[in-house]
Amino acid sequence: MHAKNRLPSSGHNTPSPPASPLRSPRLRHPRAGKSAGRFALGVSNRSVAQRVAWIVLSVLLRRQGVFLFAPLLYISGMLFYMGTVSFDVVPDVIKVRRTAGSVYRSPELYAKLRHEMDADNSSSDAMSTIWKHAKGGDWRPCINKFSGGLPVSNGYIYVEANGGLNQQRTSICNAVAVAGYLNATLVIPNFHYHSIWRDPSKFSDIYDEDFFVKTLENDVRVVDSVPGYLMERFDHNLSNVFNFRIKAWAPIQYYKDTVLPRLLEEKFIRISPFANRLSFDAPPEVQRLRCLANYEALRFSNPLLTMGETLVSRMREHSAKNGGKYISVHLRFEEDMVAFSCCVYDGGAKEREDMIAARERGWKGKFTKPGRVLRPGANRVNGKCPLTPLEVGLMLRGMGFDNHTSIFLASGRIYDSERHMAPLLEMFPLLQTKEMLASPEELAPFKNYSSRMAAIDYTVCLHSEVFVTTQGGNFPHFLLGHRRYLFNGHSKTIRPDKRKLAVYFDSLKIGWKTFKRHMLSMRAHSDSKGIELKRPNDSIYSFPCPNCMCHTNKTEDSRTASTL
């Protein structure tokens, strides 16, 4: 019985290939028919793949022009013959290989490592050994202050500081620098009410206004209002005052060339909005004024300062076993942060619904535009997903901090906090927040004001032995610089590489010792980056050296001291 030809033909139903292809001159030997017959007889006993291969060869022999495709067809025939390709079998299930980072696997890793992590007694006292950077001398604050009088003012500048606590801080310091450079009088900056922060606080609610004015009195004039005679020219209406719309990161020369002439003419100008409206790269006299404003003149108001210092004292009491030293962690895992990141965790359908609703509330239509594709896996691999409380705990335990370490957690309202905070509290039972350290009555004056609550967190983080930043933003950037200013040029800050963390958290094959080795390496890298000098386009608020600080050579200092 002949096998049917599966390949398309010229319209005829052809049985199995004839014994002797008629058009092949090589097979016209008288005995060819006999040997071909024996071969054809053997074909019927072969597999389907072998018969198909024979059919292909037969067609090649009859259609010599097809030999142009001989190499390709030969390879195809061999694959059929060896059975590596088959059209007869269709798999019931097609396995799709998941992309890296597409699944939040940290809870599985925690479950795998937890027993070995808790049994690890090899950790030395991480709190006392963490900062082992090489020192060629320390840095100390050295901001020159003028003692002489100021020339006649060129006019008044009014700015509107927008954003949250530390973005407003940027605006204040930049406004001081611009006013001083233009020899203008600065009106106490107005804080713009924002729909996200929803904080109506004024300058004096956050900062000590009298101290601010007094500290700057020999460098920049600062007043709380514009004189009445000048406001009469504008019918006592700020909207009648000329408002400059200045592009972001404008050079200081722009203010001299464009803003100063109008200031001399009008004697009163507005600049709104004013966040990030001055380049980081500026002449030394501008940088000096920024340093003076940020590190010396801006002090929190007495109620905030008192509350912050009280919590610092309470944290030190909780950390008595570590010599009063504690870790502070700035954790960004609020609902709006998770929603904006477009990352996926393990909350299932409820999390998905919550995130869709949060995106629509905060950024109407931004994430549902036609063609917009959300790629949570890519975001995680690229280090753009906020670290969860569990991931922060795993990282710190890997870095050598045991479960007796005191931690102050600075954050807003953690998304689904009961579920997400549980593993972090298991790893660090001594963890505290401002709500845990202070009574509801103590926090009542600040409770409904996001900037005031952030100022309390800022103070407690500022005085910690270790500061851990997990997401970036203005809050950690200002703390980096402020801690360098306080701690001899070293930030004492852990800045994890979130791209590397994504790889480690995604690997269920990794063991505790390997994981710990990677975390200790990451900790050492943060230590080595603790002292860094400002480059031209770096923020002076993160890198105060060398504009706001002077380098101290210990050898010279000791030699000088011995001669006194």
Side-chain angles (χ1 to χ4, degrees), residues 47-204:
S47 67
V48 174
Q50 291 170 330
R51 290 200 293 268
V52 171
W54 170 248
I55 293 170
V56 171
L57 291 173
S58 300
V59 172
L60 286 174
L61 291 173
R62 284 185 293 170
R63 300 286 188 269
Q64 292 179 355
V66 182
F67 275 104
L68 292 172
F69 303 99
L72 179 61
L73 292 173
Y74 173 77
I75 294 171
S76 301
M78 291 300 295
L79 290 173
F80 273 117
Y81 184 79
M82 291 184 294
T84 58
V85 174
S86 173
F87 291 123
D88 296 322
V89 179
V90 179
D92 294 330
V93 179
I94 299 176
K95 293 184 179 179
V96 179
R97 188 177 183 181
R98 69 174 183 86
T99 57
S102 61
V103 179
Y104 170 61
R105 307 186 72 183
S106 300
E108 299 173 68
L109 182 65
Y110 174 51
K112 176 179 182 289
L113 298 181
R114 184 177 178 183
H115 177 72
E116 197 173 353
M117 176 179 70
D118 289 339
D120 183 5
N121 296 318
S122 64
S123 297
S124 59
D125 183 4
M127 195 69 79
S128 62
T129 61
I130 182 168
W131 310 126
K132 294 296 183 182
H133 59 282
K135 292 183 180 180
D138 289 335
W139 292 78
R140 59 179 176 81
C142 61
I143 304 170
N144 294 325
K145 297 179 183 179
F146 289 153
S147 55
L150 291 169
V152 177
S153 173
N154 289 327
Y156 294 82
I157 294 179
Y158 172 92
V159 302
E160 193 165 86
N162 55 310
L165 174 70
N166 290 288
Q167 191 169 336
Q168 289 172 345
R169 192 181 184 108
T170 305
S171 299
I172 297 166
C173 298
N174 287 348
V176 168
V178 168
Y181 189 74
L182 300 182
N183 187 33
T185 301
L186 177 66
V187 181
I188 289 289
N190 180 57
F191 288 173
H192 173 69
Y193 180 83
H194 198 282
S195 59
I196 293 180
W197 287 274
R198 299 176 183 174
D199 190 335
S201 298
K202 304 301 181 186
F203 186 96
S204 58

Side-chain angles (χ1 to χ4, degrees), residues 342-360:
C342 299
C343 298
V344 175
Y345 296 92
D346 56 347
K350 184 182 183 302
E351 178 188 301
R352 186 164 55 252
E353 292 168 6
D354 289 345
M355 295 303 104
I356 291 172
R359 290 182 197 120
E360 193 57 30

Side-chain angles (χ1 to χ4, degrees), residues 157-435:
I157 294 179
Y158 172 92
V159 302
E160 193 165 86
N162 55 310
L165 174 70
N166 290 288
Q167 191 169 336
Q168 289 172 345
R169 192 181 184 108
T170 305
S171 299
I172 297 166
C173 298
N174 287 348
V176 168
V178 168
Y181 189 74
L182 300 182
N183 187 33
T185 301
L186 177 66
V187 181
I188 289 289
N190 180 57
F191 288 173
H192 173 69
Y193 180 83
H194 198 282
S195 59
I196 293 180
W197 287 274
R198 299 176 183 174
D199 190 335
S201 298
K202 304 301 181 186
F203 186 96
S204 58
D205 295 321
I206 306 294
Y207 299 104
D208 187 332
E209 188 173 314
D210 293 337
F211 182 81
F212 181 73
V213 174
K214 180 70 175 174
T215 304
L216 295 173
E217 64 181 354
N218 293 324
D219 295 270
V220 181
R221 290 185 183 87
V222 182
V223 296
D224 60 0
S225 62
V226 178
Y229 75 87
L230 192 55
M231 286 303 297
E232 286 179 6
R233 290 177 47 192
F234 304 98
D235 295 328
H236 296 276
N237 188 346
L238 273 176
S239 62
N240 293 330
V241 179
F242 182 80
N243 183 44
F244 274 96
R245 292 281 181 175
I246 298 176
K247 66 180 181 179
W249 317 115
I252 192 66
Q253 191 64 34
Y254 172 85
Y255 288 89
K256 185 175 182 180
D257 296 342
T258 306
V259 177
L260 181 59
R262 192 65 179 253
L263 175 66
L264 292 170
E265 180 185 344
E266 300 280 344
K267 295 299 180 182
F268 182 25
I269 60 167
R270 288 192 302 143
I271 307 176
S272 177
F274 192 66
N276 303 322
R277 291 304 189 271
L278 180 61
S279 169
F280 285 138
D281 191 13
E285 60 268 32
V286 174
Q287 303 290 44
R288 184 188 69 83
L289 290 172
R290 278 171 153 168
C291 296
L292 182 60
N294 186 48
Y295 298 113
E296 298 293 335
L298 280 179
R299 184 172 74 181
F300 288 130
S301 63
N302 284 332
L304 288 173
L305 195 61
T306 301
M307 188 75 258
E309 290 176 346
T310 298
L311 298 193
V312 169
S313 177
R314 291 175 186 175
M315 277 304 303
R316 286 173 175 164
E317 290 174 8
H318 281 282
S319 313
K321 289 184 177 180
N322 288 317
K325 297 177 180 179
Y326 62 92
I327 293 177
S328 61
V329 177
H330 183 227
L331 181 62
R332 296 304 311 274
F333 202 71
E334 304 91 342
E335 185 177 68
D336 61 336
M337 175 60 69
V338 178
F340 187 80
S341 71
C342 299
C343 298
V344 175
Y345 296 92
D346 56 347
K350 184 182 183 302
E351 178 188 301
R352 186 164 55 252
E353 292 168 6
D354 289 345
M355 295 303 104
I356 291 172
R359 290 182 197 120
E360 193 57 30
R361 278 196 309 271
W363 306 274
K364 294 185 183 297
K366 178 181 176 69
F367 295 94
T368 54
K369 290 180 180 178
R372 180 69 185 260
V373 179
L374 306 184
R375 297 184 175 88
N379 289 350
R380 181 165 283 116
V381 169
N382 290 326
K384 295 180 180 179
C385 288
L387 292 181
T388 64
L390 182 152
E391 290 172 333
V392 171
L394 270 177
M395 177 186 76
L396 290 176
R397 288 296 293 269
M399 289 181 175
F401 300 101
D402 61 25
N403 58 1
H404 299 296
T405 304
S406 293
I407 292 182
F408 175 78
L409 191 69
S411 70
R413 181 177 295 177
I414 301 297
Y415 171 66
D416 198 1
S417 62
E418 188 173 342
R419 181 168 64 91
H420 284 296
M421 284 297 295
L424 179 58
L425 288 168
E426 287 174 354
M427 286 182 272
F428 293 98
L430 300 182
L431 180 141
Q432 302 285 330
T433 64
K434 54 185 175 294
E435 290 82 4

